[in-house]
Amino acid sequence: MVRRKYVVGNWKMNGLSGALAEAEAIFAGARAHEAVDVALCPPFTLIGPMAALGGATGGQDCHPQPSGAFTGSVSAPMLADAGAALVIVGHSERREGFAERDADVKAKAGAALAAGLSVILCVGEPLAVRESGGAIDYVLAQVQGSLPGDFDPARLAVAYEPIWAIGTGRVPTIEDVAAMHGAIRAALSDRIGEGAAAVRLLYGGSVNGDNAADLLGARDVDGALVGGASLTAAKFLPIIEAAARVG
Ligand code: PGA
């Protein structure tokens, strides 16, 4: 099974309407690389106008319920209605900052799929767990606890993002990334059988134009989830180009 490379930008809480010019430049540059799927996940406020630029646009979170008395929240059908094609769920900044547990992430992923969105499900260990040698067990438990019960493997990607690598400039060794991705693929295979071959596994955490080719070339790495380096075309396009090169 050939999995298309997938490079996704997570803008986090960055971007006013003036930043749409960067998104436009990113989408225009991405069109030169037909073999790579590219998406940007801006704050809620920019989803509509960014989707109108014609590139794949996603949310960074959604509520598990479709509607109701949940002040400040945005549901998966609302994201789809605004033009989103995908949503990130379970990012460590949500798990840590908003006390989201695996069960919450699972409910959000299920709600997103039901609304017709694709899902990027994030997992990743804290530094102490990595240093104690327990990273693979920790991440596989997150995968098992956060995966929705039933899903179309082509619409779900898992992003492995070690928490200590996010925004720090530190990245795991290529061997550690490949070992983690291999373990996630094997766990998916145990759970859903052959369909596991269609699930794209992204690496995230301090990906930049200099390290992207090595990371994206690692076994079982099908793409990247990129924070800081996705905010400008100058930094993001080299990552997309690296994905196209390693194919
Ligand atoms: P970073 O963020 O690329 O800035 O490390 C990645 C992420 O949090 O998705």
Side-chain angles (χ1 to χ4, degrees):
M1 145 85 51
V2 177
R3 291 178 295 270
R4 288 170 57 83
K5 284 279 191 280
Y6 194 20
V7 179
V8 181
N10 171 13
W11 279 18
K12 309 192 179 187
M13 199 174 74
N14 297 292
L16 302 175
S17 43
L20 289 168
E22 289 294 338
E24 198 164 14
I26 288 166
F27 288 145
R31 274 181 219 115
H33 302 288
E34 275 180 9
V36 181
D37 292 333
V38 174
L40 285 176
C41 298
F44 290 131
T45 46
L46 290 184
I47 287 174
M50 192 179 283
L53 297 175
T57 303
Q60 302 169 10
D61 179 42
C62 66
H63 195 279
Q65 296 298 324
S67 62
F70 303 104
T71 301
S73 296
V74 172
S75 72
M78 290 168 182
L79 289 177
D81 186 52
L86 66 144
V87 64
I88 297 168
V89 297
H91 192 281
S92 61
E93 287 155 18
R94 302 284 322 170
R95 290 179 185 263
E96 293 201 320
F98 298 85
E100 290 187 9
R101 300 151 305 157
D102 287 341
D104 301 310
V105 177
K106 176 177 177 172
K108 290 176 179 212
L113 292 168
L117 299 170
S118 295
V119 167
I120 298 175
L121 170 60
C122 300
V123 291
E125 81 284 357
L127 185 58
V129 171
R130 167 60 63 180
E131 287 177 339
S132 74
I136 289 184
D137 286 349
Y138 182 96
V139 166
L140 293 187
Q142 282 186 320
V143 170
Q144 293 296 359
S146 310
L147 270 184
D150 190 26
F151 60 91
D152 170 1
R155 282 211 287 136
L156 187 120
V158 176
Y160 167 55
E161 299 204 302
I163 296 172
W164 49 274
I166 294 177
T168 59
R170 281 185 73 183
V171 291
T173 63
I174 300 301
E175 292 72 30
D176 282 345
V177 172
M180 182 63 81
H181 282 227
I184 295 171
R185 180 88 59 206
L188 288 169
S189 192
D190 284 348
R191 176 135 161 184
I192 62 168
E194 283 180 4
V199 177
R200 289 188 285 192
L201 305 184
L202 316 185
Y203 168 77
S206 295
V207 178
N208 59 42
D210 294 332
N211 62 23
D214 284 346
L215 289 163
L216 288 161
R219 198 177 149 77
D220 268 312
V221 177
D222 307 309
L225 181 57
V226 185
S230 72
L231 291 170
T232 62
K235 288 187 171 164
F236 198 39
L237 289 177
I239 298 172
I240 296 167
E241 282 154 19
R245 269 202 312 281
V246 301

